[in-house]
Amino acid sequence: MSTKLSLHEIIPHKTDVGALANRINLDTRALHNKIDKWVTLRFALALRDYRIYRQGLQSFYHVFATVERNLYEQLDSDGEWKDLLAKVWKPEMARRERAEQDLLFYYDDDKNKFLTPMMPAQIEFVNHINEAIKEKPYILFAYLHVMYLALFAGGRVMRSSLGRATGLFPQKDGLKHEEVIKMGTNFFHFEVPDEETFRLLYKRDYELMTRNNLTETQKQEIIEESKYIFEQNARCMTELETHNMARIKSKWAYILVRQGYNVVLILLALLAIFLMRKVFTGLF
Ligand code: HEM
């Protein structure tokens, strides 16, 4: 991917072991590999059925919406973290509204279907974010790296699969397929002239603001929170899978019970015919 930045402007260097972002990546590598494999496998399935895709998107939506609500609270306050956060954050990064646009599309404009989390792991995640940031606003730096940079790596892969997933998008009256795709993929798009430069500038500001303005203890807490983010995202995903499996199983159980009931009725009818024939042949 090309960029308008020269080499010395790219900060931090990949080999800079002191950079907070690199430390987070290193300490979450195993968790990332696990979730990467897991999501890649399931994503293929989700692309065949928009009802599965929208469940996954909804789960991420709650995380982004909660993070952004807390972030803007800090930015609008006179708190001690306001300036640092403002120097890292870029409004084009915000995902809440974009995810909401997509969800409105997949849920036929019915906000009530997704606005508040209903699944236990999602509720737990949202509550945790609110409490953690309220107590220690610098915990936001874990989310500003893990959740937002995910969109430029795995997110790009997912975006290109989405564009090719012809079976995913629901039919919308009077709209061409390309228009429908655009309406359902806002989440993965950034309104910036050059995405790669934007990403590198974000990473640079993150490093410049976190290198000397956080204590080692605070950095360690951010790294621990980053691990939690991966783990809790994974719990939200497996929770959805378990939920869907349970629904499929109960649907099949219902079908089997109904089929069994029909079989019994047919057997009873056959028995009745057989007995009636016996009675008739005995009579005549
Ligand atoms: C909840 C899910 C995920 C999260 C939170 C996440 C998070 C991250 C983060 C924080 C980075 C480091 C970015 C940077 O430092 O610039 C990253 C890199 C990356 N991720 Fe993910 N990711 C997730 C899922 C995935 C999936 C499903 C894939 C595969 C399709 C994937 C592929 C990648 C790749 C290829 C990189 C670049 C690695 C590199 O530059 O060395 N990720 N991800």
Side-chain angles (χ1 to χ4, degrees):
M1 180 96 26
S2 69
T3 163
K4 294 179 179 74
L5 294 190
S6 59
L7 211 58
H8 75 273
E9 286 176 299
I10 297 177
I11 298 171
H13 193 269
K14 270 192 175 164
T15 56
D16 183 349
V17 290
L20 181 58
N22 288 342
R23 288 177 66 184
I24 295 175
N25 288 351
L26 187 70
D27 282 19
T28 57
R29 187 163 289 162
L31 292 167
H32 180 272
N33 290 346
K34 216 164 127 189
I35 204 165
D36 169 355
K37 283 196 194 90
W38 198 96
V39 173
T40 306
L41 268 174
R42 270 71 174 187
F43 195 59
L45 251 183
L47 288 181
R48 290 210 233 123
D49 185 344
Y50 74 92
R51 287 165 303 181
I52 300 178
Y53 175 72
R54 72 185 179 186
Q55 284 181 324
L57 180 60
Q58 186 184 160
S59 177
F60 287 111
Y61 163 73
H62 295 306
V63 181
F64 283 105
T66 312
V67 170
E68 285 168 30
R69 216 171 291 124
N70 281 283
L71 173 71
Y72 281 105
E73 235 174 79
Q74 290 297 321
L75 295 177
D76 293 339
S77 76
D78 290 321
E80 77 169 288
W81 299 98
K82 173 194 162 123
D83 290 343
L84 271 195
L85 289 166
K87 282 179 187 144
V88 175
W89 180 245
K90 315 213 174 323
E92 298 91 334
M93 213 35 143
R95 295 296 96 188
R96 183 188 65 80
E97 227 175 285
R98 293 190 151 259
E100 214 167 288
Q101 285 168 353
D102 289 358
L103 289 167
L104 282 170
F105 169 77
Y106 292 110
Y107 284 105
D108 278 329
D109 289 329
D110 189 352
K111 267 191 178 184
N112 296 325
K113 294 259 171 72
F114 64 84
L115 219 54
T116 30
M118 306 294 280
M119 306 293 285
Q122 293 176 17
I123 296 171
E124 194 187 309
F125 205 171
V126 163
N127 290 341
H128 168 89
I129 298 170
N130 285 330
E131 282 159 25
I133 296 173
K134 201 166 162 196
E135 196 191 331
K136 296 172 178 177
Y138 57 84
I139 286 297
L140 270 165
F141 284 111
Y143 291 87
L144 292 189
H145 177 75
V146 178
M147 292 307 295
Y148 290 87
L149 282 164
L151 293 159
F152 292 91
R156 270 189 199 143
V157 180
M158 289 166 145
R159 182 173 70 189
S160 80
S161 314
L162 262 175
R164 286 183 268 113
T166 45
L168 173 71
F169 302 96
Q171 302 275 333
K172 295 271 167 176
D173 287 343
L175 289 180
K176 286 192 203 136
H177 185 60
E178 298 77 58
E179 291 170 316
V180 174
I181 292 180
K182 206 161 173 243
M183 287 176 80
T185 56
N186 290 291
F187 180 65
F188 289 108
H189 285 96
F190 293 86
E191 285 291 326
V192 291
D194 182 89
E195 224 176 75
E196 186 57 8
T197 307
F198 176 69
R199 179 184 83 93
L200 289 172
L201 286 175
Y202 181 82
K203 285 190 72 134
R204 186 184 70 180
D205 292 344
Y206 185 94
E207 168 57 11
L208 294 177
M209 290 309 122
T210 55
R211 182 170 282 267
N212 296 320
N213 294 310
L214 293 167
T215 64
E216 177 53 25
T217 310
Q218 287 167 338
K219 286 182 186 176
Q220 275 168 11
E221 285 175 288
I222 291 165
I223 294 169
E224 283 312 304
E225 184 73 12
S226 301
K227 292 181 193 163
Y228 170 82
I229 299 172
F230 275 99
E231 284 161 355
Q232 195 62 20
N233 269 316
R235 278 193 277 272
C236 289
M237 297 294 110
T238 45
E239 176 182 66
L240 284 176
E241 188 174 54
T242 313
H243 171 79
N244 287 344
M245 285 309 289
R247 277 179 66 169
I248 291 169
K249 270 189 201 151
S250 69
K251 197 169 146 191
W252 276 103
Y254 174 76
I255 290 170
L256 282 175
V257 168
R258 276 238 50 103
Q259 298 285 17
Y261 178 71
N262 289 341
V263 168
V264 170
L265 279 183
I266 291 166
L267 285 177
L268 283 174
L270 287 172
L271 186 67
I273 293 167
F274 174 76
L275 288 175
M276 276 162 76
R277 277 188 66 172
K278 269 206 120 178
V279 172
F280 275 116
T281 44
L283 279 177
F284 300 101

